[in-house]
Amino acid sequence: MKFKTLFIKELREMLSVQTIMTMVISVVILSFAGQAMSKAVEESSETMMDINICDQDDTEFTKNMIKFLTANLAQLDGEVNVVDISSDDYAKELKNADVKSVVIIPEGFTASVENNEAAKVKFVQRLNSLATMSNLNTGSQVAVEYLTAAVKDVVYSTKVSNGKLSNEEVSFLNNPIALEESTVVAEKSADISASVVMSLCSAQGMIVPIMMFVLVMMSSNMILNAISTEKIDKTLETLLTAPISRLSVIAAKMLAAAVVAAMQAAVYMMGSKNMMNGVLEKVGSDNGYSEVLKDLGLTMDAGQYVLVGIQMFLSILIALSVALVLGVLAKDAKSAQTLTLPIMMCTMIPYMLSMFVDIKTMSPAVRYVVYAIPFTHSFMASENAMFGNYGVYAGGLIYQFIFLVICMAAALKIFMSDKIFTMSIGGKKSKGTTPAESES
């Protein structure tokens, strides 16, 4: 009986209104992220079976093959779009054709088939993001599967009618297509499969968001707990009534926090750089993958790490200034823990979205809501630097700076007034008096 009473007492204390709110809001966040990702997946899946094809051989055989492709993909709600690729500058050609990928049937394709040689097919794909669900198009797999079927169908219909197949022809039909793949990133291209690029860059695409999430949460908790503890222990009143201006007090707190934030950003960027260098040296030294990734601009140089570090630094400063205000609102230790919820919510949404979807391609309404969260731009910083999206980067940097100025002005206004002693989460004044009132 004593255990039951004690258990119910502990449960009541732990299952507070703040705890329930945290769980409810977490469900809302995850549902929002799920809806946003499902929309992106739905849009990608609608075009998953579509193939853009360029027939540079332009023979009766290839025309029949494209007709076969069109008929088969139509049954799967897919389309075959014929585009024109006239040069090896694939970045420029994909941009002019306004397509993300293309299957190129080169000159000599029909001659190779007639000679029972594996016919070369080129598959070119543009990567705009390293997010997991941003490249759902099966691309080369669909191209090889259906082109192989098309070649077999045409060969069977032409050669079998002339008599039985020779051993050489049977051997050829087992592997009629030789696929060559190229990947385009920004204005650069390299002869490597997009799936290999995604595999090699997956670690880098995940590490930066994880570091960003940890840094923001750790920094905001640090300053929020410091302010709330000083207010709860009444040492804040003593500090603010000391013979030193409040502007100096808040400036000292913010400057110290900024120095720590800058050190954290620099240390984590150095750690990230060393880790990625180690991964690429280990994985790509033997097969030349590391050099290919450098050619594509997917290994960040010192300047790009600085760009990412700047946005990371601004995000930490924003988190610190918001935590400064939230810390003032704390009534006790429990409410201080709950007050980290808004920061956690605003950090978790872009953190999850940036790992799974390309935020730039989301619907405008959802995209601008996510862009309004200042931390979003830091989660996108490394990708913007690698893919050359400097316009998006600059816009995010300016927005973060304006957001930081507003947050710091709000924090300064609160610290310069006596409301700092009476403000709480509900905005109600405590029964106590302010130091200024006491002195009068």
Side-chain angles (χ1 to χ4, degrees), residues 329-344:
L329 298 175
K331 287 179 180 178
D332 48 38
K334 283 186 178 179
S335 65
Q337 293 176 358
T338 307
L339 285 169
T340 60
L341 188 61
I343 298 176
M344 184 182 75

Side-chain angles (χ1 to χ4, degrees), residues 97-160:
D98 193 24
V99 295
K100 189 177 178 182
S101 63
V102 64
V103 177
I104 301 174
I105 302 174
E107 289 184 13
F109 181 90
T110 303
S112 298
V113 172
E114 290 174 347
N115 294 327
N116 298 325
E117 298 173 352
K120 292 181 181 178
V121 170
K122 188 88 174 182
F123 179 74
V124 185
Q125 183 173 3
R126 175 186 290 280
L127 288 184
N128 294 320
S129 171
L130 296 178
T132 308
M133 296 183 183
S134 63
N135 299 285
L136 285 179
N137 193 306
T138 50
S140 57
Q141 295 175 3
V142 173
V144 170
E145 182 180 344
Y146 282 92
L147 284 175
T148 300
V151 169
K152 287 182 177 179
D153 182 75
V154 175
V155 169
Y156 276 123
S157 62
T158 55
K159 295 192 175 182
V160 171

Side-chain angles (χ1 to χ4, degrees), residues 149-409:
V151 169
K152 287 182 177 179
D153 182 75
V154 175
V155 169
Y156 276 123
S157 62
T158 55
K159 295 192 175 182
V160 171
S161 59
N162 298 328
K164 65 178 183 181
L165 295 173
S166 65
N167 291 334
E168 187 181 13
E169 289 170 337
V170 171
S171 177
F172 159 72
L173 287 174
N174 288 330
N175 192 20
I177 299 293
L179 183 68
E180 296 178 351
E181 296 187 69
S182 290
T183 301
V184 174
V185 176
E187 303 301 324
K188 305 170 183 175
S189 64
D191 292 332
I192 186 172
S193 167
S195 59
V196 174
V197 174
M198 287 291 295
S199 300
L200 291 173
C201 295
S202 60
Q204 183 168 280
M206 295 180 68
I207 287 299
V208 172
I210 291 173
M211 285 196 312
M212 187 66 223
F213 181 78
V214 171
L215 273 174
V216 168
M217 293 308 302
M218 190 169 63
S219 304
S220 56
N221 276 330
M222 182 177 62
I223 195 76
L224 195 150
N225 288 332
I227 295 296
S228 60
T229 302
E230 285 189 356
K231 184 180 178 183
I232 295 166
D233 294 342
K234 306 297 182 185
T235 55
L236 186 62
E237 297 179 10
T238 305
L239 179 64
L240 294 182
T241 52
I244 183 172
S245 70
R246 294 186 179 186
L247 183 62
S248 299
V249 173
I250 189 173
K253 287 183 178 294
M254 289 299 296
L255 184 61
V259 170
V260 174
M263 291 173 62
Q264 288 176 331
V267 168
Y268 277 83
M269 281 297 96
M270 289 175 59
S272 174
K273 186 174 184 298
N274 292 336
M275 189 197 77
M276 289 312 303
N277 287 341
V279 170
L280 291 177
E281 286 176 5
K282 188 72 175 176
V283 174
S285 58
D286 295 335
N287 45 34
Y289 285 155
S290 58
E291 291 300 320
V292 174
L293 293 182
K294 286 180 182 176
D295 294 340
L296 289 174
L298 293 177
T299 53
M300 292 197 297
D301 56 29
Q304 289 170 325
Y305 274 107
V306 170
L307 291 178
V308 176
I310 290 172
Q311 282 207 323
M312 189 176 284
F313 178 60
L314 282 178
S315 279
I316 294 172
L317 284 181
I318 291 170
L320 290 173
S321 55
V322 173
L324 205 64
V325 175
L326 293 176
V328 171
L329 298 175
K331 287 179 180 178
D332 48 38
K334 283 186 178 179
S335 65
Q337 293 176 358
T338 307
L339 285 169
T340 60
L341 188 61
I343 298 176
M344 184 182 75
M345 184 174 65
C346 291
T347 310
M348 187 177 289
I349 290 176
Y351 165 61
M352 296 186 67
L353 291 178
S354 64
M355 289 181 64
F356 294 107
V357 298
D358 183 3
I359 295 176
K360 299 188 295 300
T361 61
M362 298 172 73
S363 65
V366 177
R367 183 168 71 243
Y368 289 118
V369 168
V370 177
Y371 276 170
I373 301 172
F375 307 130
T376 299
H377 307 283
S378 295
F379 284 107
M380 297 173 62
S382 61
E383 198 169 276
N384 286 334
M386 287 190 293
F387 286 83
N389 302 321
Y390 292 111
V392 179
Y393 175 88
L397 191 68
I398 293 171
Y399 176 73
Q400 282 185 310
F401 184 75
I402 294 172
F403 199 95
L404 175 63
V405 171
I406 293 172
C407 290
M408 292 190 73

Side-chain angles (χ1 to χ4, degrees), residues 8-80:
I8 293 174
K9 170 184 169 294
E10 294 294 334
L11 190 62
R12 282 178 178 171
E13 289 183 359
M14 293 183 183
L15 204 60
S16 60
V17 175
Q18 291 89 343
T19 305
I20 295 173
M21 281 180 59
T22 303
M23 290 190 288
V24 170
I25 292 175
S26 297
V27 171
V28 173
I29 293 172
L30 293 174
S31 300
F32 174 79
Q35 287 294 321
M37 286 189 284
S38 66
K39 186 71 177 175
V41 171
E42 182 182 352
E43 291 174 354
S44 298
S45 62
E46 288 176 355
T47 59
M48 184 181 294
M49 299 306 296
D50 293 348
I51 291 182
N52 304 304
I53 197 162
C54 172
D55 185 8
Q56 294 179 341
D57 201 32
D58 195 22
T59 62
E60 195 63 30
F61 180 84
T62 55
K63 288 177 182 176
N64 289 334
M65 196 172 63
I66 292 174
K67 286 180 183 176
F68 176 88
L69 273 176
T70 305
N72 280 276
L73 288 180
Q75 297 175 4
L76 302 172
D77 296 328
E79 294 181 358
V80 174

